Each structure stands twice: as C-alpha cells, then as structure tokens.
Amino acid sequence: YANPTVYYVTLIATSALGCVDTIERQTIVFDPPEAVFAVNDQCENLTSRFENLSQNGDGLRLEYEWVFGDGDLSELTTPNHLYPSAGTYQPTLIVRDENGCRDTFQRDHIVFANPDVAFDINNACRGTTLDLTNVTTVEPPQTITRYVWDFGDGITSLRENPLKVYAESGVYQVQLTAISSQGCKDTS
C-alpha cells in the first residue's frame, strides 16, 4: 500500500455453479520507522560514538538492534563501541516498532590505524651531534603530518629528523610522537 491508513480488503469467491460469497476484513497499514545513524571515522584504540537519528513512524516505542560489523551487538539507543583493530566495518542499525514494522540502515565506518612510531638512536659524546633515525610508519592513505620530539632536557623539535647536541652528559629519555593526517597518534 502506498499510504499508511485503514484499508478494507474484500474477497469475492464464485463457485463453478455460480454461487457467490463475499468476505471483507479491515487491515491497518502503519507508517514504518526510519533507521538512520551518524558516526565519525575514528582512530584505533578510541571509542566510536554512534548517534541514533532514527525517526518513528506510527509506533509509540522503538527497539534498536546494533550490529557493529565485528561480531558485537548492542540494544542501546545511542551506543559507544571500541573496535578491536583498524579496518573498514559495516555497522548496521535495525529499528522495530510495536506494530511489527522495521527498517535497516548500514554504512561504512573506518577505523584508522595509529602510526607506528619508531626511531633509532645511538649514544653520543657531550657536545657532538646525536645520531637519530626516524623510522615511523603509517598505513596508507594516511600520512604523517606532524612529529614532536622531546629530548628529555626541556628541548623539543617538530622536525622529522632533527639534529640534537646535548650540552651536558647524562641519561636522557628521548620521546617521539607522530600524528597522522586523520589525527591518529602514537608515542614511543
């Protein structure tokens, strides 16, 4: 039926001998709910927040079934979900009302890999240039858009491969943070 309303269905049966019988029944056609959600693509190890934008049809109460595309499920109205690893998932929302009407909505959700921060460093003598080799990687299509080096002596650098000379001898904790084009980051 094209529109939700009350319809009357009539069955007219005619036998081979020409006998006629009629039966009429009322049926109600309900306007179904509309399942819709929004979710921002996310970096791995961060929780994805699903925003339920579903619209009610003629029902008074909606039930929700979320299928996150990684084997996990939820019946919450607006759930959060932590995906186990980077990848493209197809979360699905199934909405049902008390009239038995339902709708389904699915979309791709990308969980981006964090950069894999790594660098090589050798010991150096005071006053000489420290040998640093940045070997950080990130999965395409992402790129590294920012590096932040902390040399453990109050000095930082935003260069990919900086040069560093320590004025004093000692033990320093060198730390590198890389941030990807999707805002994902890792620190080593």
Side-chain angles (χ1 to χ4, degrees), residues 115-117 136 144 146-148 176-180 184-187:
D116 184 13
V117 171
T136 299
I144 302 296
R146 186 168 182 205
Y147 294 98
V148 180
L176 172 60
T177 299
I179 302 169
S180 75
C184 303
K185 67 180 180 176
D186 187 28
T187 300

Side-chain angles (χ1 to χ4, degrees), residues 4-177:
T5 191
V6 175
Y7 291 93
Y8 293 93
V9 179
T10 303
L11 173 64
I12 302 171
T14 305
S15 73
L17 300 175
C19 298
V20 177
D21 193 14
T22 302
I23 187 170
E24 185 175 85
R25 296 284 191 255
Q26 172 184 308
T27 185
I28 301 172
V29 176
F30 297 102
D31 196 18
E34 180 184 6
V36 180
F37 67 86
V39 62
N40 291 325
D41 292 337
Q42 190 62 273
C43 299
E44 67 181 322
N45 302 323
L46 295 178
T47 300
S48 297
R49 182 183 184 285
F50 289 83
E51 183 179 2
N52 190 338
L53 303 171
S54 299
Q55 298 293 313
N56 204 341
D58 287 332
L60 299 174
R61 181 178 52 83
L62 294 178
E63 294 177 353
Y64 306 101
E65 180 182 352
W66 295 87
V67 181
F68 293 112
D70 64 352
D72 285 351
L73 307 171
S74 175
E75 293 181 352
L76 297 174
T77 302
T78 301
N80 295 326
H81 185 67
L82 180 63
Y83 283 91
S85 60
T88 300
Y89 297 89
Q90 287 80 39
T92 303
L93 172 59
I94 303 163
V95 179
R96 293 181 186 87
D97 68 17
E98 73 274 8
N99 299 318
C101 299
R102 65 177 261 163
D103 191 32
T104 302
F105 180 79
Q106 181 182 67
R107 62 159 283 195
D108 284 353
H109 175 52
I110 300 171
V111 177
F112 293 103
N114 288 326
D116 184 13
V117 171
F119 60 92
D120 295 326
I121 188 170
N122 294 320
N123 293 331
C125 296
R126 179 174 44 88
T128 62
T129 302
L130 186 63
D131 186 17
L132 290 167
T133 306
N134 185 347
V135 291
T136 299
T137 59
V138 67
E139 289 183 19
Q142 295 186 91
T143 58
I144 302 296
T145 58
R146 186 168 182 205
Y147 294 98
V148 180
W149 291 87
D150 181 342
F151 295 110
D153 63 350
I155 304 295
T156 60
S157 174
L158 300 179
R159 294 177 180 254
E160 181 177 349
N161 292 295
L163 300 175
K164 173 63 179 161
V165 176
Y166 285 101
E168 301 294 327
S169 61
V171 177
Y172 298 94
Q173 288 287 70
V174 177
Q175 193 173 59
L176 172 60
T177 299

